[in-house]
Amino acid sequence: MKPPVRIAITGGAGQIAYSLIFRIASGEMLGPDQPVILHLLEVPAALKALKGVLLELEDCGYPLLQNVVMTDDTNLTFIDVDYALLVGAAPRGPDMERSDLLKVNGEIFKVQGKALNEFASRDVKVLVVGNPANTNAYIAISAAPDLNPKQFTAMMRLDHHRAIAQLAAKTGAEITAVKNIIIWGNHSATQYPDISHATVNGQPAKSLVDQDWIVNEFIPTVQQRGTEVIKARGKSSAASAAFAALSLMRDWAMGTEQWVSTAIVSDGSYGIAKDLVYSFPVTIKNGEMSIVQDLEIDEFSRSCLQASQRELEQERDTIADLLH
Ligand code: NDP
C-alpha cells in the first residue's frame, strides 16, 4: 500500500462537501490504491452537522480512509496537507452587494492562504471552489508568498462540463466525442464558453451548429446554468459541483492530455493581465498545468475575453485593502 495523502476540505458540512467527501474517501479522486486522511474544516456553528458526516463516513467503512481530522481551527486543518479543496464560503445574503460578498469571503481566504503558507506540504495543490472563486484564489495566493502561485487554481470545471454536455446534446454526439471546449475568464456570468476550437467526432464544432445558436442559446445557457439549477431544485448545484472538483483534482494528480478549463494565475497569455486568476484551456503533465498556446482568437472572442478580464480587475480593486 502507498503511504496516505492528506486532503483538506473546508466547509465540510456544506452540500457540495456532502457529495465530495464520500467520493474522495472511496478512492474516486486519487485511485483505488491510494489511502487518504481527510482534514475537514467547519465554522463552530456547523461542527455538530460535521460530526454527522463523520458518523456516516465511519458507517461506510471505506478501506482507503485511514483517519479523519475534524476541526474549526484553520491552522490545524492545513498541517501537512497534500491537497486542499477550499469549498466553504459565506453565501450571499439577501441585502448583500457583490462587493460585500467579495470582502466577507476575502477575509476567509486570506486566513486560509496564510495557514496554507505556514503549515501545508510544500507541494500542496489548492483548488478554490467557494465563490467568488477566482478572486478568493487571488487573495489566498497573495497571502501565501512561500508557495508557488501555480499551486492554486479556481474551479471552472463545472462550466466546462456544462458546455460539453450542451454541445453533445445539440449535435447528438457522445460526451466523449466532444473535445477542446474552452471556458475563458471568471466563474461568473461574464465567463466565455467558447467552441471556436472544439471538435465533435473530429469535425470542427462550428461547422455543425450555427452562430445564432452559439450566441443566443449555447453561451447564455452555460453562463446561466447555475441559476437554472437553483430555480428547479431550490438549492444550488452540489453533486455536479463536487464531481467537477473531483475531476479537476484527479487530472491535476494524474495528468491529462485533453484540454480542460481551469482558472490559474495569468502569465500574460492571450493578452490577459498578468497575475489575475483567469480561466484558460490547459493540459496537465507531472502535476504542472500548461496553457494551450497560439490559438486564434477572433474579434467576438476577444471582446468576450476582455469583458471577463475587466470584471476580474474590478473585483481585484474591490479587495485591494485585504492584500496588506
Ligand atoms: P455549498 O456547499 O453549496 O457551496 C459552497 C461554495 O461553493 C459556495 O461559495 C458556492 O457558491 C460555491 N460554488 C462554486 N461553484 C459552485 C457551483 N458550480 N455550484 C454551486 N456552488 C458552487 O454551500 P453550503 O452553504 O451548503 O455550505 C458551505 C459550508 O461552508 C457551510 O457548512 C458553512 O458553515 C461552511 N463555511 C466554512 C468556512 C470555513 O471552513 N472556514 C467559512 C465559511 C463557511 P454560491 O454561494 O455562489 O453557490
Side-chain angles (χ1 to χ4, degrees):
M1 257 315 194
K2 294 177 179 174
V5 299
R6 293 178 181 270
I7 304 171
I9 302 165
T10 70
Q15 52 153 2
I16 294 178
Y18 192 70
S19 282
L20 189 56
I21 288 170
F22 294 86
R23 299 179 81 162
I24 292 176
S26 75
E28 228 182 297
M29 185 171 111
L30 297 176
D33 59 346
Q34 179 58 67
V36 295
I37 297 173
L38 297 180
H39 293 212
L40 307 178
L41 176 69
E42 257 302 349
V43 294
L47 278 178
K48 183 163 171 277
L50 186 60
K51 171 78 180 171
V53 174
L54 182 65
L55 296 177
E56 283 201 77
L57 272 173
E58 282 174 13
D59 295 346
C60 291
Y62 290 118
L64 292 172
L65 184 58
Q66 291 211 342
N67 197 8
V68 183
V69 177
M70 176 181 120
T71 180
D72 60 1
D73 179 328
T74 306
N75 291 344
L76 191 60
T77 304
F78 294 126
I79 291 177
D80 292 338
V81 297
D82 304 288
Y83 298 89
L85 293 92
L86 308 186
V87 180
R92 185 165 171 167
D95 300 320
M96 226 173 171
E97 298 292 332
R98 189 168 166 87
S99 57
D100 298 329
L101 184 70
L102 277 162
K103 286 185 179 157
V104 170
N105 279 320
E107 287 289 354
I108 294 170
F109 285 83
K110 183 174 178 180
V111 171
Q112 294 185 353
K114 277 188 180 162
L116 283 160
N117 192 54
E118 196 163 342
F119 297 107
S121 151
R122 294 305 82 187
D123 296 322
V124 66
K125 291 180 168 58
V126 184
L127 170 65
V128 177
V129 176
N131 276 318
N134 302 52
T135 296
N136 289 340
Y138 181 88
I139 292 166
I141 290 166
S142 307
D146 301 334
L147 297 174
N148 187 331
K150 291 182 173 177
Q151 291 174 253
F152 291 78
T153 190
M155 189 163 92
M156 304 295 291
R157 184 63 172 260
L158 180 53
D159 311 289
H160 184 90
H161 288 168
R162 286 167 171 166
I164 290 175
Q166 291 300 316
L167 183 57
K170 175 72 179 171
T171 55
E174 300 284 336
I175 290 284
T176 48
V178 177
K179 306 263 194 286
N180 299 353
I181 282 267
I182 307 170
I183 309 289
W184 302 92
N186 196 4
H187 178 70
S188 75
T190 69
Q191 65 176 253
Y192 171 43
D194 179 11
I195 66 161
S196 307
H197 309 278
T199 57
V200 180
N201 283 317
Q203 280 183 280
K206 277 192 138 179
S207 67
L208 302 172
V209 296
D210 58 48
Q211 186 67 11
D212 181 60
W213 178 79
I214 296 172
V215 175
N216 295 315
E217 288 194 46
F218 170 73
I219 294 176
T221 298
V222 176
Q223 288 172 333
Q224 302 298 331
R225 185 69 163 190
T227 310
E228 195 184 340
V229 172
I230 293 174
K231 276 192 193 145
R233 217 172 80 90
K235 291 187 210 158
S236 57
S237 34
S240 53
F243 177 65
L246 189 116
S247 303
L248 190 272
M249 285 313 239
R250 188 185 53 218
D251 285 348
W252 205 356
M254 319 272 187
T256 177
E257 288 181 10
Q258 301 270 340
W259 298 9
V260 296
S261 306
T262 198
I264 56 174
V265 169
S266 169
D267 61 359
S269 293
Y270 298 100
I272 299 305
K274 278 192 181 176
D275 299 335
L276 287 180
V277 177
Y278 191 97
S279 182
F280 292 98
V282 306
T283 54
I284 308 174
K285 197 173 175 190
N286 300 328
E288 291 257 339
M289 297 184 186
S290 307
I291 297 173
V292 177
Q293 295 294 333
D294 299 326
L295 298 173
E296 208 170 299
I297 307 293
D298 64 21
E299 210 175 306
F300 175 77
S301 296
R302 173 71 55 202
S303 69
C304 295
L305 263 69
Q306 286 171 346
S308 208
Q309 159 165 298
R310 276 195 298 280
E311 184 183 46
L312 280 168
E313 286 170 338
Q314 280 162 8
E315 291 188 10
R316 184 188 57 192
D317 294 345
T318 305
I319 53 81
D321 52 337
L322 282 179
L323 301 179
H324 308 295

